[in-house]
Amino acid sequence: MLDEIPFHIQAEIIKRLPVVSLLQFRSVSKGCKSLIDSSDFIAAHSVTQPQHLLLRYENPEETTEKYVSFVDDDTFPQQRFVHTLPQSIKLLINSTILGSSHGLLCLRGYCGVGENLFPNLETETVVLWNPSIRKSISVAVPNNINPDLDHETDLGFGVCSVTLDPKIVQITQFNKTSYHCEAKVYTVSSGKWRSLSSNLPCKPFRVLWPQVVVDRFIYWCAFDPMAKENGLPNHNLIMSFDTTNENFGEIDLPDNLRRHPPIQLCISKLRECLVMLEYDNILKRACVVWMMENGVQKSFTKLYTFEAPYWSRRTGTALGFTNSGQPIMEVVDDHGYVFEMSELVAYEPNSKRLNCLEIYGTTETFFVNSYTETLVLLGRSDCNIVIEDDEQEEMTFGVDM
């Protein structure tokens, strides 16, 4: 029966299937495997898949971090997947999520002692993880800068939308005498780091966590440390890195955001649009959400303001957004615990209601990143890197975590 259907129609049908089914289809024939492994098919398949939200948090009663995914559709937050982590992530010490792009999650940290990956504790390590196909890549971050030099180093991560090649960018700024910047890029296709010699930032800036990826660009909220007023920075901007041509760029902010205290600003993403979060003070009791219109500099539209619930001492940072536009918030719940605990909630802007997600963890250990199911990293087995399968995840529905 399958042989009677033209191959191009078969391709249109199977690209709408979930990743689990596609992994099985790869064993049907050489033609199916070649199709599913192709970059064109992987790019087209990602477009048809629903969004997920990946949550990472810690709990004082647990020995390791927990990773939970929500299906981000009309059923949110009922469908939840508890991930079993690959060994490469289990080995990370002091890990954080750097960002997500095209279904890959990027984690950074330091590797443990006595394991086979990178036994030196001083080696910073990045792990690229595809939770959909349960594959990961570990990459050692170069550290050949003289520690006596006054410098700061930042990382960024994104997948090139044209080639689907994952890239890590390392930015090092030197400040002691005269400012200059160096940058290196790692590509999975080459398995190597290489230095960028042109189109580097030409003036001082400090990158603030987190980063977001929209289309082909990695974005960071940043500020100029040399531009100060009353001893405080007063020139905020958005730095960008184009994963296609590997150029850096700047986006100017409107005056009300440009001169805001940097610690009260945070960059985020809402339905593939760049947004800026403006908090009222360091306690973050209230937050204004600004969206950049069509990539136009200084063209930011105010969407809404949300405030901390009456029973919380502060909102904490809005960690991300659902596909319907609800911010996911960490709220501090002080009930006399030995460890300061937080609860995860979703805020409905129209009704101004809070939907408690019944997930509790140690304060300031929550990370939320959106991703879609993807086949990126499928079949990668070269490049002098370690690729490993993790175990099958457990799927739960509406269960307390």
Side-chain angles (χ1 to χ4, degrees):
M1 179 69 71
L2 190 63
D3 294 338
E4 297 176 1
I5 303 176
F7 192 73
H8 70 279
I9 296 180
Q10 294 182 36
E12 286 297 314
I13 295 173
I14 65 176
K15 78 177 182 182
R16 291 168 171 79
L17 296 176
V19 164
V20 173
S21 299
L22 292 178
L23 295 180
Q24 297 173 340
F25 263 81
R26 291 175 76 236
S27 61
V28 170
S29 67
K30 290 183 179 180
C32 281
K33 185 179 184 301
S34 177
L35 170 68
I36 294 171
D37 289 358
S38 68
S39 58
D40 288 342
F41 181 88
I42 292 175
H45 174 262
S46 298
V47 174
T48 66
Q49 300 307 299
Q51 178 172 291
H52 292 69
L53 291 176
L54 181 113
L55 164 66
R56 180 265 198 194
Y57 68 100
E58 298 175 10
N59 190 303
E61 298 178 356
E62 303 284 344
T63 57
T64 59
E65 302 90 354
K66 296 198 70 172
Y67 288 79
V68 180
S69 285
F70 295 88
V71 178
D72 190 9
D73 57 16
D74 294 340
T75 67
F76 178 82
Q78 299 305 314
Q79 297 187 59
R80 309 179 184 187
F81 301 78
V82 180
H83 293 279
T84 301
L85 299 181
Q87 188 69 8
S88 54
I89 295 179
K90 293 179 181 179
L91 291 175
L92 288 181
I93 298 175
N94 298 326
S95 65
T96 58
I97 296 181
L98 182 63
S100 62
S101 176
H102 282 74
L104 298 190
L105 281 298
C106 179
L107 294 88
R108 67 185 296 185
Y110 295 87
C111 59
V113 177
E115 301 293 344
N116 294 324
L117 293 179
F118 303 106
N120 183 358
L121 251 183
E122 299 302 317
T123 300
E124 185 174 14
T125 303
V126 167
V127 175
L128 306 184
W129 176 37
N130 185 333
S132 301
I133 61 174
R134 301 185 296 280
K135 287 189 177 292
S136 64
I137 293 176
S138 294
V139 181
V141 178
N143 182 21
N144 53 5
I145 304 298
N146 187 336
D148 295 330
L149 296 177
D150 182 17
H151 70 282
E152 292 193 14
T153 299
D154 298 287
L155 295 176
F157 162 73
V159 177
C160 176
S161 58
V162 176
T163 63
L164 293 184
D165 196 5
K167 297 186 178 185
I168 306 165
V169 56
Q170 181 190 56
I171 311 165
T172 304
Q173 302 170 75
F174 299 87
N175 313 297
K176 182 165 286 187
T177 54
S178 60
Y179 170 81
H180 75 280
C181 175
E182 295 179 359
K184 296 180 179 180
V185 172
Y186 178 94
T187 58
V188 168
S189 61
S190 69
K192 298 178 181 179
W193 290 90
R194 55 184 169 80
S195 297
L196 299 180
S197 58
S198 60
N199 300 310
L200 298 176
C202 58
K203 62 182 181 181
F205 67 93
R206 291 289 179 272
V207 169
L208 299 176
W209 183 89
Q211 65 148 70
V212 296
V213 178
V214 179
D215 193 21
R216 58 195 243 198
F217 294 96
I218 306 170
Y219 293 105
W220 301 267
C221 187
F223 67 92
D224 183 348
M226 306 303 294
K228 295 184 178 180
E229 185 176 286
N230 298 324
L232 298 175
N234 70 339
H235 185 186
N236 303 310
L237 65 151
I238 295 176
M239 293 293 301
S240 67
F241 178 76
D242 190 329
T243 59
T244 301
N245 58 30
E246 300 182 347
N247 290 339
F248 287 91
E250 300 178 11
I251 296 177
D252 292 328
L253 294 172
D255 289 343
N256 63 310
L257 297 176
R258 183 178 66 86
R259 302 176 65 86
H260 208 71
I263 196 173
Q264 294 168 223
L265 293 179
C266 182
I267 200 170
S268 190
K269 180 172 70 171
L270 172 58
R271 288 191 292 269
E272 297 305 314
C273 292
L274 192 67
V275 296
M276 184 69 75
L277 309 178
E278 176 193 7
Y279 291 96
D280 58 342
N281 53 45
I282 59 174
L283 293 179
K284 301 180 179 179
R285 293 287 307 175
C287 177
V288 182
V289 180
W290 300 86
M291 176 181 286
M292 187 170 72
E293 297 292 337
N294 300 320
V296 179
Q297 293 194 14
K298 290 191 175 183
S299 179
F300 282 78
T301 300
K302 180 179 177 180
L303 298 183
Y304 52 81
T305 300
F306 60 86
E307 299 182 0
Y310 70 91
W311 45 264
S312 172
R313 291 187 284 111
R314 58 185 174 89
T315 64
T317 302
L319 304 173
F321 292 84
T322 67
N323 200 42
S324 63
Q326 301 180 52
I328 306 297
M329 301 160 48
E330 173 193 352
V331 293
V332 178
D333 188 4
D334 186 8
H335 285 150
Y337 296 106
V338 175
F339 295 90
E340 191 174 55
M341 300 290 286
S342 293
E343 180 176 1
L344 208 64
V345 301
Y347 175 80
E348 171 46 56
N350 295 327
S351 64
K352 299 184 179 180
R353 294 179 56 186
L354 291 174
N355 180 16
C356 296
L357 304 183
E358 299 182 345
I359 292 182
Y360 305 86
T362 306
T363 298
E364 296 183 351
T365 66
F366 287 88
F367 296 85
V368 173
N369 289 85
S370 61
Y371 74 97
T372 55
E373 287 193 359
T374 182
L375 297 166
V376 175
L377 295 188
L378 185 66
R380 298 278 188 181
S381 58
D382 49 4
C383 309
N384 298 316
I385 50 185
V386 177
I387 298 185
E388 57 186 355
D389 295 303
D390 72 14
E391 301 173 15
Q392 178 68 42
E393 292 90 352
E394 172 189 354
M395 183 174 182
T396 60
F397 295 85
V399 179
D400 295 351
M401 296 297 153

